[in-house]
Amino acid sequence: MENLNGIVSFVRTAEAMSFVAASRTLGISASAVGKNVANLERDLHVRLFHRSTRKLSLTEEGKLFYERCRRILDDLTDARAMLSHAQQTPRGRLRVSLPTIGYRFLLPLLPEFETRYPEVKMDLDFSDRMVNVIDEGFDVVIRSGELVDSTLVSRRLFPFRFLVCASPDYLRRRGIPRAPADLEQHACIHYRFATTGKRLDWSMSGDPTWTQLRLPESLICNNMEAVLMATIRGHGMAYMPDFLVRNAVAAGALQSVLDAQTQDTGQFWALWPTSRHLSPKIRVFIDFLVERMNAPTEQHGEA
């Protein structure tokens, strides 16, 4: 498409929902931005914005076109960075998808990353759904579990384990379980995966009868933060990752039990498309996570 100025004007306007704000970013007049967008709409034979005297909003066609155009501009930025020595300083917007609970381990690290790389602007998407990395234009995704997409390069970040926890008040009222079988007599708070509807299994070792036990379903939540809060409030016992409960345990708000029997572990990975040039902003972000999370440097695929 020849109308690159129109595409740039359209994307910047869609980001700000304002011709005036887009004009400041582009260094041209608001009327020039509006003209570029109008010419683009004429060439495409489609309306990209709903216009009123008070605000702009994207049409359905505009939303679809925006996602494609934004990725094109991001790729152009990466291509320029690859070819120009002056562009080797990490810069630009970095779109990262994480599980909802990912803010627990990422946000505390962001101030240091921003200090090191002030020209990298983070765009974080917290979601438990399985995103399409390429089609949705993400630079990096952070996920746990088995790796199944061979079109993505992956790098190991950090492992975690699961713990059974309850509040001290709950344990005073109901007693401390001494063996996995004791959990049948307790209120159990379960996590259900929002994407599949399946419950997270509680995995125990050292008890041959564990798989035959039927844990009470006192409460089921599809949000792990809700599971954490319900456990702190004394509604029952829950099976949660250690990085989620670490602060609550340290503060005395939760107590872990059956530690010798809870041996189930997980692993977080950073993934990015094999088809995408590993731009400076992506490389420094992944290296930073590996460094700060004390993860091994083992890789799956080529980085």
Side-chain angles (χ1 to χ4, degrees):
M1 180 175 292
E2 298 179 357
N3 198 342
L4 182 58
N5 287 335
I7 291 176
V8 173
S9 294
F10 163 67
V11 170
R12 300 307 173 225
T13 301
E15 289 173 343
M17 283 301 162
S18 165
F19 289 125
V20 174
S23 72
R24 297 192 191 104
T25 301
L26 297 173
I28 59 178
S29 68
S31 60
V33 174
K35 183 178 179 180
N36 287 343
V37 173
N39 289 338
L40 179 63
E41 290 178 318
R42 186 191 64 235
D43 292 345
L44 295 173
H45 304 289
V46 67
R47 184 173 293 277
L48 300 172
F49 289 105
H50 295 299
R51 296 166 172 83
S52 73
T53 56
R54 291 183 297 176
K55 67 176 183 178
L56 289 175
S57 62
L58 286 168
T59 64
E60 289 303 315
E61 295 82 1
K63 292 176 183 178
L64 294 173
F65 195 59
Y66 167 71
E67 290 300 326
R68 294 284 183 176
C69 289
R70 182 186 46 71
R71 294 204 304 272
I72 290 171
L73 294 184
D74 285 347
D75 286 342
L76 285 173
T77 300
D78 286 346
R80 292 178 61 183
M82 178 180 63
L83 295 174
S84 172
H85 177 74
Q87 292 288 334
Q88 289 308 303
T89 298
R91 58 166 50 90
R93 184 172 65 159
L94 184 67
R95 296 195 73 225
V96 182
S97 175
L98 307 92
T100 302
I101 204 173
Y103 83 92
R104 287 271 178 174
F105 55 77
L106 181 61
L107 293 188
L109 302 179
L110 280 189
E112 181 181 349
F113 181 78
E114 291 167 349
T115 299
R116 287 195 198 182
Y117 307 105
E119 295 187 59
V120 177
K121 307 305 179 185
M122 302 298 299
D123 184 344
L124 304 179
D125 176 81
F126 294 96
S127 173
D128 291 326
R129 66 185 179 87
M130 295 298 293
V131 301
N132 188 309
V133 182
I134 297 174
D135 287 350
E136 297 183 48
F138 288 107
D139 297 301
V140 181
V141 296
I142 297 175
R143 287 294 183 266
S144 62
E146 296 182 5
L147 304 180
V148 295
D149 192 339
S150 61
T151 67
L152 300 177
V153 184
S154 61
R155 189 166 179 184
R156 195 184 298 270
L157 292 181
F158 70 94
F160 59 93
R161 62 172 292 195
F162 286 90
L163 298 172
V164 176
C165 293
S167 70
D169 177 66
Y170 174 88
L171 294 175
R172 281 192 295 269
R173 289 186 284 111
R174 300 289 297 270
I176 298 176
R178 303 299 178 183
D182 295 342
L183 293 173
E184 286 190 314
Q185 307 305 316
H186 282 268
C188 294
I189 304 170
H190 295 269
Y191 172 72
R192 176 187 287 132
F193 292 97
T195 52
T196 64
K198 295 181 178 179
R199 282 188 346 184
L200 174 66
D201 290 330
W202 297 28
S203 179
M204 297 282 174
S205 62
D207 188 336
T209 66
W210 172 249
T211 57
Q212 303 169 22
L213 300 180
R214 297 181 63 86
L215 297 184
E217 297 180 351
S218 303
L219 178 64
I220 301 176
C221 303
N222 68 352
N223 181 291
M224 192 62 83
E225 292 287 346
V227 172
L228 173 64
M229 184 57 64
T231 310
I232 291 174
R233 294 294 179 88
H235 291 285
M237 317 197 74
Y239 186 75
M240 297 175 286
D242 56 2
F243 64 85
L244 175 64
V245 303
R246 185 175 296 120
N247 290 342
V249 171
L254 289 179
Q255 179 178 332
S256 64
V257 299
L258 301 174
D259 289 353
Q261 285 78 35
T262 50
Q263 301 295 327
D264 196 19
T265 60
Q267 175 69 55
F268 275 103
W269 304 83
L271 305 102
W272 64 95
T274 57
S275 59
R276 192 180 178 101
H277 164 65
L278 190 60
S279 64
K281 65 183 179 183
I282 297 177
R283 182 175 294 279
V284 297
F285 178 68
I286 294 172
D287 287 346
F288 173 80
L289 291 182
V290 172
E291 170 197 336
R292 293 294 283 110
M293 292 178 176
N294 298 314
T297 56
E298 175 183 339
Q299 289 183 227
H300 173 80
E302 297 293 332

